Amino acid sequence: RGAFMLKFLPLLLFLFSCALGPGNFQSRHATDLGSRNIRRIAVLPPASTAVEGGAKAPDPSAPSTEGKGGKKEPATTLSDLVYTTVSALPRWQVVSDREVREVIAKVAQGGDGGRARILGELVYADAVISGRLLRFRERVGEEWGIQSPASVAFVIDLWDAKRGDLIWSGQFDETQKPLSQNIFALGEFTQRGGRWLTAEELALEGVRKAVNQLHKALYGRAS
């Protein structure tokens, strides 16, 4: 029996490394995450503003969120939300966006893992957070009445800057629905005041869920 348990121990560790959140968020992490001694963290700016292949493009009938009227690109919006949210929590040191801007030209284009490792070396970070935008569709209408709701999906990853491996990943995916279609979302419906969120507001909710769960995974308690 002991030999049987040892054989399946790696599988059990993998299973326990997965954390399911509310229906719109889930995450997974390395089983040795707590021993990595992650303290100094940098946020990686987006390499490209393009939404990843295979994801839904923004609704062409929706108000533009891509550079017109002074609005930021959606990928930049996600990166900024991550930086602001991470900076608000204790127990880790966040590399300032000024420090990152000073060296980002030295970070070549490519995959997030390679870019994260280089940035981490340049700013002496233990780990680097990157964000991948999968969908960013703005609502069509106003907060009390819409034609089409906001819809957002993204992945946030944490990379060990010294080893270069992925040690935590969380995915948020939600298209806002009325309470009549999702009675289990009563808590969120109440928090939102029964109104329809913009894509940025929906993204912020997801980023807060992701960053708080990451903080808990690293330091063992809720933020």
Side-chain angles (χ1 to χ4, degrees), residues 45-74:
S48 170
T49 56
V51 177
E52 292 197 351
K56 297 180 181 178
D59 187 336
S61 64
S64 173
T65 57
E66 300 189 356
K68 293 183 180 180
K71 291 186 178 180
K72 292 179 290 189
E73 298 281 359

Side-chain angles (χ1 to χ4, degrees), residues 4-18:
F4 177 84
M5 291 300 295
L6 287 174
K7 179 179 178 181
F8 286 94
L9 182 59
L11 176 60
L12 292 173
L13 289 175
F14 173 77
L15 291 175
F16 281 113
S17 74
C18 299

